[in-house]
């Protein structure tokens, strides 16, 4: 396994690097747009849980870039990216380092739009997973609902909301919650998202909150429950929204394994990633393991303490970003 | 309609009630294990409907325990549900006390609180809020939220009453926050009162210990932190210490830490690495013990009992693999005392060797513990010393001849009188070829033998002969140029004392190679003569045949033939017994004249175990087991072709130096041993065994089925002399002791006491794969009806192993019969062909015969493996046994893997994954297979059991996309010509139908002719995106169709859609274009949202009845009629991420379905009568 093996396993990973996207997920938004025309007439867009910024990159290129014919239109476009973590700046994208569950964040977004509501809100956030499917699906649903909650504060009626969703055991409960706020809810799967993954995207069109609905950030928006006698659990009344596969069939197949030499005319060159990976939570543990300093049954105890102090030392000597931000919601895109 | 018959999913909750019961939460099912003498499950109840049990909280008993005779009240929670239960009748009865309470939010903890009118429940919720619940009524009495409205990954609610309760939350910001739910006014949010930052990842688990005021947290950052927080939930200051401090940061896990528990003086943590670490509080937090007993996926649940008399505690671990282990740990106080300061080498005992020189070889004679037996050591001074009763004494001095070089081997023999249990024959060999043999009890009387001209490379004993007395043994001395001399040695009691007699036998000659000496040997008795299987230092296995000497023997007396032939030798020798050492030398000439020419091997597997050599050989019930320094154990048989390898079992990663195999089954009775048929046919079943060897600096006992270390002794690694003493009972292998030499010191490990203890544990429930199970295949049924009836399944998973399972549907018991770990990547697909026993024979399985199947598995890194499995029932005695025979192995990029310097070049070829496999044809010796490949190809392979190879026959890149699924069907036309169709699907939602008849029909089967296979006959657009699953059913012309044959083709897609196409087959008279077949779609049906998630697996019980599953965790039953598809039933499944499905018909109108994913679930499908009626579907169309 060399550094090129991931290029072979995942064609969109490779393409993302070659086209300068910060993550392969950029293709997912592009393909969703191909199908739904998400960016048509959009002047104000919000990217929630934006880091490392690939969706903001797409918004920036598509709303402001050469695709937009009239220069003035491009000037008018405002894009806000919200995340707990800072990310590298992007042209025409305003960053807000904040928590999507806070009313102050919603207010700041509106301030950037000079009091105007947004036309489009997108969210590609995914939580730290536990490996237990029921817990992971629940947490992902809460993230989506937090995004929906802030969206109800900033989205114009008739606006569009796009978010990542896990198609798991209770996804129908989320659909029913979303259908309260949007007249058109579709489950869409871009072709750049792997067939094998349970990831999909809800494209919620025509924001039309129920009459008298007052956006409220002080209580979390909760997901629905099955009806009392569980008829919906195993019965036919489950709310399943239409499914749509997005993207041109002639595009690359995310499940296919390609040779490094894609066509005869062009020699393969390894491209390094556009952005280095974020620092993982297990960094310290890995450092200890690498130096054989993890506590073991047959190792004397004092080593662990010594190791830890040695660790602290090296951490403080190293780059100062070892500690991840310790406030707000922690989600990686 | 559908009901669960067996379920194995991750264990998500464990809790003890005193030392009496262990409660387990697995999916929605609560199971009670009684811990009396023989721990076993005594009650079970499905309580949480569609939720998983994440916690069990027994109601605290009042001090006098007057109410305990009524039973134990418990609250069980998980997801958004809470349920109150009572356990009574000494653990036999489990009943629900109130209806299931459904909450608005996810419950992370439930805590018993006392209220004015009886007990109440405090519930910590995931949005950092808390509920006060009346358990009897199921109504909410109070709700309180924290100002910090973030999501929690874990929480604890503490305190005696709601008013003074404290909630500890582990937030998504990697912090712990403490606040008081009961201390706020209504409609106001409570402030955070304490904040504990420090973790670098989210917090998965929390535990608080009242006695010490400690709080422990386990995190994504792989650490456990212990905090001093003071008295939480106390009346005076509910939030405890105003300045909580971090006392310990414990790094020891190799991956994330999922769960943590506290006891006074100890921290217990379980993690994704599958281990549970016991941390001693003293010494800054050292790992006192590692409990490893779970396969991939890690430890998900952990419980520690309060401790009974003697302060020993139970620890229970539950894995993602569905396994539950029970461990006993000593009370921390005593242990601390006993261990004192020195930690290093505590578990090792220095035997304090006293004698001249440096010990070189160590051997142990006697049963069980080395301290009860004899430890025999030889030194570089040419001496043999004995350790007995704690003292060393010199036994034998070989003089200058045996100095600086001396090999030694000891055979245990039955002695006389007081030394009966500890008698041994000791053989030593010198640099000049001298061999001496003497009895340990009588070292002065021995025999001197000539081992050859040069140095004696090795000495080996073969004992365990069929003589009743156990006083004989064969000695083999490997000398120069591959010549192995052999003697039969006998001990006899005479009036003059014990007498040793040596009878020379024909020598063996090893084939020429670089390291030409013997390292392992086993003797097989056969009616025609003896067989000797030898292993050499070059890694080869050799078979020598020793014909009976004629010597005028009558053939009818064959049984005594050998006995007599020895007697002949003996009588010629009788005049002067070789009892005087000095006399031995004079006999050499005579001796060499008597023995015949050297035997040559009749069969040789050259370099089988690699260049580092063979280390061990043994036989058991007609099968041979060899181990080598290539990290493999091979199971072999002596067949017509000589030595035949049946299968290879690798040890764990990094354990390349194997030294020995220990068979776990108790040895069979004499009758069984003598059964000549069994011996000859070699169809004896494979036994469970463990592997002994070196893993870096450790000596390890590895159980390949449990995939776990049973024992690990830090001995310094290989290249040392060692001797292993298994536990007395012969079964608790991991609890034996090791005696070894390290830097000239004789050391011994302390064997543990009674089971389950230090190394051992009690398996309350066996685990399966742990990670996702990607595919499942039903092989058939073994055993008779009733308790002996088992369904045999094979599963493959992300943990890269194949598991052969036996499932008893009546009791829900699931047993792993064999774990095969030859794949290097994810196993995605499996198929099986039932074939009658014998290499190529086909036919029906008859009673008493084993279930025999050919299994082919495929997956990542373009790897395919083929095995023959022989599974036989054990009647009422217990689980069936499985013998695995490795048939063939293949990788597409095998060329690349064999290339030298491949790390220096970039491999341009794609990393192909095999996605799906189907059998095209199995009528001939070689089975034809179709494979769906991720590089866009459909490939055809044949696998031959006789040749033991896979062969690529054909490939087509028609799809140009990742091929996801393949299926086949075959039918006969009116002329009786076989037609074989292949269906393949890709990520574009299209199904291609191919006519494979030219390949399948033997006359055209020359591989060269199959190159030009036609394009698909038909392409059916069926789905928007990837087609994950296919199922096919054929109804032949025999059923009475006017228009010939019809094929029902069902498909399930990533779009959640279920589609069915009914295809008519028409044969054309003149087969001009080669195919002569026309396919026509007669009807097409689909259900757009059959599942709310991708449809991942499909099964067909009849053309009218389909079963589907999906990660939405529903198993659906569909009925197909001439009016379309309709749902017949739905069952919520507790197997998350469902990836595979197998269905089969049972007896009566019953059918079975097994779903695999994050676990395994067996479903019984009843009510088949109208859904399964194919006539209704087909008649009118």
């Amino acid at each position: 396994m060399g550094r090129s093996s991931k290029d072979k396993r995942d064609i969109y990973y490779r393409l993302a690097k070659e086209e300068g996207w910060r993550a392969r997920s950029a293709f997912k938004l592009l393909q969703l747009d191909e199908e739904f025309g998400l960016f048509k007439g959009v002047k104000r867009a919000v990217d929630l849980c934006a880091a490392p910024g690939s969706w903001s990159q797409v918004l920036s290129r598509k709303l402001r870039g050469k695709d937009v014919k009239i220069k003035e239109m491009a000037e008018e476009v405002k894009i806000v990216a919200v995340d707990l973590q800072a990310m590298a700046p992007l042209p025409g994208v305003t960053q807000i380092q904040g928590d999507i569950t806070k009313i102050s964040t919603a207010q700041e977004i509106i301030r950037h739009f000079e009091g105007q509501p947004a036309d489009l809100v997108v969210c590609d956030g995914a939580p730290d997973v536990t490996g237990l499917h029921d817990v992971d699906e629940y947490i992902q649903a809460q993230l989506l609902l937090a995004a929906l909650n802030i969206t109800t504060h900033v989205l114009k009626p008739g606006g569009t909301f796009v978010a990542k969703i896990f198609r798991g055991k209770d996804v129908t409960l989320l659909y029913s919650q979303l259908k309260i706020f949007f007249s058109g809810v579709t489950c869409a799967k871009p072709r750049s998202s792997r067939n094998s993954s349970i990831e999909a995207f809800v494209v919620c069109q025509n924001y039309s909150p129920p009459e008298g609905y007052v956006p409220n950030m002080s209580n979390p928006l909760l997901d629905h429950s099955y009806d009392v006698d569980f008829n919906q659990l195993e019965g036919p009344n489950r709310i399943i929204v239409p499914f749509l596969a997005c993207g041109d069939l002639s595009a690359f197949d995310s499940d296919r394994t390609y040779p490094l030499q894609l066509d005869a005319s062009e020699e393969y060159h390894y491209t390094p990633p556009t952005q280095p990976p974020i620092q993982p939570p297990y960094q310290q543990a890995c450092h200890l393991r690498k130096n054989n300093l993890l506590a073991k049954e047959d190792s004397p105890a004092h080593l662990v303490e010594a190791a830890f102090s040695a660790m602290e030392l090296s951490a403080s000597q190293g780059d100062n970003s070892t500690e991840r931000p310790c406030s707000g919601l922690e989600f990686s895109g | 309609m559908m009901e669960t018959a067996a379920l194995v999913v991750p264990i998500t909750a464990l809790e003890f009630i005193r030392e009496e019961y262990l409660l387990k939460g697995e999916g929605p099912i609560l199971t009670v294990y009684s811990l009396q003498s023989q721990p076993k499950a005594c009650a079970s109840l499905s309580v949480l409907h569609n939720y998983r049990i994440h916690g069990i909280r027994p109601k605290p008993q009042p001090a006098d325990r007057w109410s305990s005779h009524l039973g134990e009240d418990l609250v069980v929670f998980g997801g958004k549900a809470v349920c109150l239960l009572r356990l009574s009748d000494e653990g036999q009865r489990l009943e629900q006390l109130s209806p299931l309470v459904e909450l608005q939010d996810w419950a992370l903890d439930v805590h018993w609180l006392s209220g004015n009118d009886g007990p109440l429940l405090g519930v910590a919720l995931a949005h950092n809020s808390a509920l006060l619940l009346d358990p009897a009524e199921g109504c909410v009495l109070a709700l309180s939220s924290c100002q910090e409205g973030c999501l929690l990954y874990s929480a604890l609610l503490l305190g005696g009453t709601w008013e003074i309760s404290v909630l500890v939350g582990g937030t998504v910001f990697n912090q712990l926050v403490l606040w008081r739910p009961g201390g706020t006014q209504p409609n106001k949010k409570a402030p955070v009162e304490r904040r504990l930052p420090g973790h670098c990842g989210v917090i998965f688990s929390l535990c608080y210990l009242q006695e010490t005021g400690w709080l422990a947290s386990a995190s994504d950052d792989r650490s456990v932190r212990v905090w001093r927080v003071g008295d939480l939930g106390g009346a005076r200051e509910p939030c405890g210490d105003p300045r909580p401090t971090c006392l310990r940061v414990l790094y020891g896990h190799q991956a994330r830490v999922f769960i943590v528990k506290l006891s006074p003086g100890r921290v217990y943590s379980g993690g994704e690495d599958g281990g549970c670490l016991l941390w001693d509080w003293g010494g800054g937090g050292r790992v006192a013990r590692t409990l490893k007993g779970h396969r991939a996926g890690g430890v998900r649940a952990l419980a520690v009992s309060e401790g009974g008399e003697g302060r020993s505690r139970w620890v229970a671990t539950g894995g993602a693999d569905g396994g539950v282990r029970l461990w006993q740990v000593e009370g921390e106080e005593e242990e601390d005392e006993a261990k004192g300061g020195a930690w290093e080498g505590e578990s090792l005992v220095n035997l304090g060797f006293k004698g001249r020189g440096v010990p070189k070889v160590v051997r142990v004679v006697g049963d069980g513990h080395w301290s009860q037996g004899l430890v025999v050591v030889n030194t570089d001074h040419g001496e043999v010393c004995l350790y007995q009763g704690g003292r060393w004494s010199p036994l034998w001095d070989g003089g200058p001849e045996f100095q600086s070089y001396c090999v030694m081997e000891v055979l245990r023999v039955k002695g006389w009188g007081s030394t009966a249990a500890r008698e041994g024959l000791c053989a030593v060999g010198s640099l000049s070829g001298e061999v001496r043999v003497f009895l340990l009890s009588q070292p002065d009387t021995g025999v001197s033998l000539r081992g050859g001209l040069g140095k004696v490379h090795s000495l080996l004993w073969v004992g365990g002969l069929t003589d009743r007395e156990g006083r004989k043994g064969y000695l083999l001395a490997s000398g120069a140029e591959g010549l192995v001399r052999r003697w039969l040695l006998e001990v006899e009691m005479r009036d003059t004392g014990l007498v040793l007699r040596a009878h020379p036998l024909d020598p063996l000659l090893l084939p020429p190679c670089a390291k030409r000496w013997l390292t392992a040997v086993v003797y097989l008795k056969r009616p025609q003569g003896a067989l000797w299987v030898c292993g050499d230092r070059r890694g080869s296995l050799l078979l020598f045949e020793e014909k009976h000497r004629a010597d005028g023997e009558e053939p009818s007396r064959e049984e005594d033939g050998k006995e007599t032939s020895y007697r002949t030798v003996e009588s010629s020798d009788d005049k002067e017994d070789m009892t005087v050492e000095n006399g031995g030398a004079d006999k050499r000439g005579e001796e060499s004249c008597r023995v015949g020419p050297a035997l040559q091997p009749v069969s040789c597997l050259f370099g089988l175990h690699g260049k580092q050599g063979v280390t061990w050989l043994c036989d058991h019930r007609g099968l041979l087991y060899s181990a080598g320094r290539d990290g493999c154990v091979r199971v072999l048989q002596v067949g017509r072709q000589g030595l035949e390898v049946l299968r290879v079992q690798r040890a764990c990663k990094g354990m390349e130096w194997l030294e020995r195999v220990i068979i776990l089954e108790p040895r069979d009775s004499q009758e069984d041993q003598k059964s000549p048929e069994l011996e000859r046919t070699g169809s004896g079943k494979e036994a469970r065994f463990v592997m002994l060897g070196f893993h870096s600096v450790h000596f390890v006992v590895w159980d390949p089925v449990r995939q776990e270390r049973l024992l690990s002794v830090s001995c310094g690694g290989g290249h040392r002399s060692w001797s292993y003493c298994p536990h007395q009972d012969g079964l608790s292998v991991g609890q034996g002791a090791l005696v070894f030499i390290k830097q000239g010191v004789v050391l011994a490990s302390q064997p543990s006491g009674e089971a389950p203890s230090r190394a051992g544990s009690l398996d309350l429930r066996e685990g399966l794969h742990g990670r996702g199970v990607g595919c499942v295949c039903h092989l058939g049924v073994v055993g008779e009806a009733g308790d002996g009836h088992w369904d045999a399944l094979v599963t493959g998973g992300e943990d890269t192993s194949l598991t052969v399972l036996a499932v008893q549907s009546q009791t829900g018991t699931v047993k792993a019969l064999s774990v095969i770990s030859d794949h290097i990547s994810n196993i995605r697909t499996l198929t099986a062909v039932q074939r009658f026993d014998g290499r190529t024979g086909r036919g029906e399985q008859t009673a008493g015969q084993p279930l025999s199947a050919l299994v082919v598995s495929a997956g990542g890194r373009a790897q395919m493996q083929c095995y023959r499995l022989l599974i036989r029932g054990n009647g009422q005695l217990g689980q069936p046994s499985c013998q695995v025979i490795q048939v063939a192995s293949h990788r597409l990029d095998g060329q690349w893997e064999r290339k030298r310097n491949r790390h220096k070049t970039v491999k341009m070829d794609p990393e192909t994954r095999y996605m799906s496999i189907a059998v095209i044809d199995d009528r001939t010796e070689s089975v034809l297979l179709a494979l769906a490949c991720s590089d866009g190809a459909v490939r055809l392979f044949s696998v031959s059991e006789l040749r033991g190879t896979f062969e690529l026959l054909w490939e087509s890149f028609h799809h140009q996309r990742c091929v996801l699924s393949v299926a086949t069907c075959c039918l006969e036309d009116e002329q009786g010509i076989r037609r074989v169709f292949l269906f393949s699907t890709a990520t574009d939602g299209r199904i291609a139908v191919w006519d494979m008849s030219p390949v399948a029909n033997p006359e055209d089967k020359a591989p060269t002719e199959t190159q030009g296979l036609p394009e698909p006959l038909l392409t059916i657009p069926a789905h928007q995106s990837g087609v994950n699953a296919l199922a096919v059913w054929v109804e032949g012309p025999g059923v009475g169709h006017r228009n010939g044959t019809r094929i029902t083709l069902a498909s399930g897609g990533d779009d959640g859609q279920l589609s069915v196409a009914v295809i008519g087959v028409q044969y054309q008279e003149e087969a001009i274009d080669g195919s002569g077949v026309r396919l026509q779609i007669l009807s097409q049906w689909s259900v757009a949202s059959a599942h709310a998630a991708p449809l991942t697996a499909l099964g067909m019980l009849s053309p009218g009845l389909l079963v589907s599953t999906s990660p939405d965790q529903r198993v659906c039953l569909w009925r197909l009629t001439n009016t379309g598809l309709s749902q017949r039933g739905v069952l919520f499944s507790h197997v998350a991420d469902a990836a595979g499905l197998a269905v089969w018909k049972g007896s009566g109108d019953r059918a079975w379905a097994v779903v695999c994913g994050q676990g395994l679930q067996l479903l019984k499908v009843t009510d088949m009568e109208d859904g399964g009626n194919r006539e209704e579907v087909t008649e009118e169309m």
Side-chain angles (χ1 to χ4, degrees), chain A residues 8 128-130 134 138 169 195 218 233-234 243 245 249 253 255-257 260 284 297 328, chain B residues 52 54 105 153 173 189 251 256 300 343 907-909 913 934 960-962 987 1024 1028 1114 1132:
Chain A
K8 273 184 283 188
D128 292 325
V129 292
T130 65
D134 55 339
Y138 172 79
K169 67 188 174 84
N195 189 75
S218 66
L233 180 70
E234 295 179 344
F243 176 89
L249 270 177
D253 180 1
D255 291 278
R256 184 170 177 189
T257 41
L260 285 181
Q284 294 194 350
E297 199 172 333
Chain B
R52 254 186 199 153
H54 283 282
D105 197 3
Y153 271 74
F173 324 133
K189 295 205 170 185
Y251 277 100
R256 301 185 289 175
R300 284 289 179 180
W343 176 247
K907 183 186 164 205
M908 301 303 282
D909 297 337
R913 302 182 295 270
S934 71
Q960 283 298 316
R961 306 183 65 83
C962 175
T987 51
Q1024 287 188 49
N1028 297 321
R1114 295 335 188 256
F1132 183 90

Side-chain angles (χ1 to χ4, degrees), chain A residues 151-167:
Chain A
T151 299
T152 63
H153 287 78
V154 302
L155 190 64
K156 71 167 188 195
T160 306
F161 171 59
V162 178
K164 193 206 290 286
I165 196 166
F166 285 172
R167 288 191 290 167

